[in-house]
Amino acid sequence: MKRFTTVAAALVLTTVTACGSGGSGGSDEADDGTITMGFAQVGAESGWRTANTQSIQQAAEDAGIELQFSDAQQKQENQIRAIRSYIQQDVDVIAFSPVVETGWDAVLLEAQRADIPVILTDRAIDSDDTSLYETFLGSDFVEEGRKAGQWLVENAEGETNVVELQGTTGAAPAIDRKEGFEEVIADSPDIEIIATQTGDFTRSGGKEVMEAFLRSHDDIDVVYAHNDDMGLGAIEAIRAAGMEPGEDIQIITVDAVEAGMEALAAGEINFIVECNPLLGDQLMELAEQVVAGEEVPERVVVEETTFTQEEAEAALPDRQY
Ligand code: AHR
């Protein structure tokens, strides 16, 4: 009891109950059959994340699933603490989007021993033990990196110096988007990554790193940003340096959130690879199946597209995020 109180108290700082008001907790579903899900979110670092959180909260409400929601503020230790709290509460299912890829086996083993199924959403973990989770719902980040690289290979003219704004160090989308991009440009000796650094998936991080790149390099042709927010930060830095983003320096990003799409339509970004954050409905369906003991696929990949400037203009009026 003492342990439960301590863990719960520590979590209050970052926990929001999205649906219901605390409720009965899990214990193999409430008497009325309501499923309780504990969801440990990465944080609120980007427009993508905001849209993803809204999608999950809305989908839980629509499905009648009671959601215990926590925001880890991009810190793995906060996510682990949240997951332990959900185990203590004996929720019916735990879902989370891991901040980084490694270091999850111990806490997921605790969930397994407590007989609580776990669903990975958005980001994968790096573990040899795939029995620690039921399924992984999310994008193919390596493919996203390949699409970004492919556009550059098709559009680069002559020697092309690229600076890369990486996502959070150790996070699956940062590792995979780098890998996919490098794989595709490897056959184009004229394209070179001359600098690469993390901007932590935030606009301020992207701006700060781009300012430093501009101070140390006067020959930047292209920015490859692992998300829109960092690309938007880079736009501010390029402008402040007296150059035109999208013209003097071309920009490729990933996500296609509204602010990114507006910048693309305005010619400040040149190409965006979509990463769909609207995972809520699929997640709730998988949760219902898992709690009912039904078989689910090991991997559910989200369908995505890409946008040029003209395509962004056409898509913007119907965009949901
Ligand atoms: O894991 C998805 C990535 O996380 C998004 O591309 C980025 O914007 C977010 O922070």
Side-chain angles (χ1 to χ4, degrees), residues 45-46 48-49 122-123 141 173 177 201 226-227 255 275:
E45 73 282 5
S46 62
W48 190 99
R49 191 63 56 194
D122 165 35
R123 298 182 181 181
F141 296 136
R177 287 172 187 166
F201 280 130
H226 288 189
N227 78 344
D255 275 355
C275 180

Side-chain angles (χ1 to χ4, degrees), residues 97-110:
S97 170
V99 177
V100 290
E101 274 191 343
T102 55
W104 299 102
D105 284 37
V107 71
L108 295 188
L109 203 56
E110 289 169 36

Side-chain angles (χ1 to χ4, degrees), residues 63-95:
I65 290 180
E66 186 177 310
L67 187 68
Q68 303 290 332
F69 182 89
S70 62
D71 171 343
Q73 298 173 345
Q74 299 229 74
K75 292 195 172 67
Q76 184 175 31
E77 62 267 30
N78 289 345
Q79 266 191 325
I80 289 176
R81 200 178 319 135
I83 293 169
R84 290 216 163 103
S85 162
Y86 297 145
I87 296 170
Q88 291 282 329
Q89 291 173 56
D90 196 18
V91 298
D92 299 304
V93 56
I94 292 172

Side-chain angles (χ1 to χ4, degrees), residues 195-226:
T196 178
Q197 201 178 310
T198 180
D200 212 11
F201 280 130
T202 65
R203 190 186 284 223
S204 58
K207 181 173 181 221
E208 211 174 290
V209 174
M210 190 64 204
E211 283 167 352
F213 284 162
L214 287 164
R215 277 195 297 273
S216 46
H217 300 273
D218 59 6
D219 52 357
I220 301 171
D221 300 304
V222 173
V223 175
Y224 169 42
H226 288 189

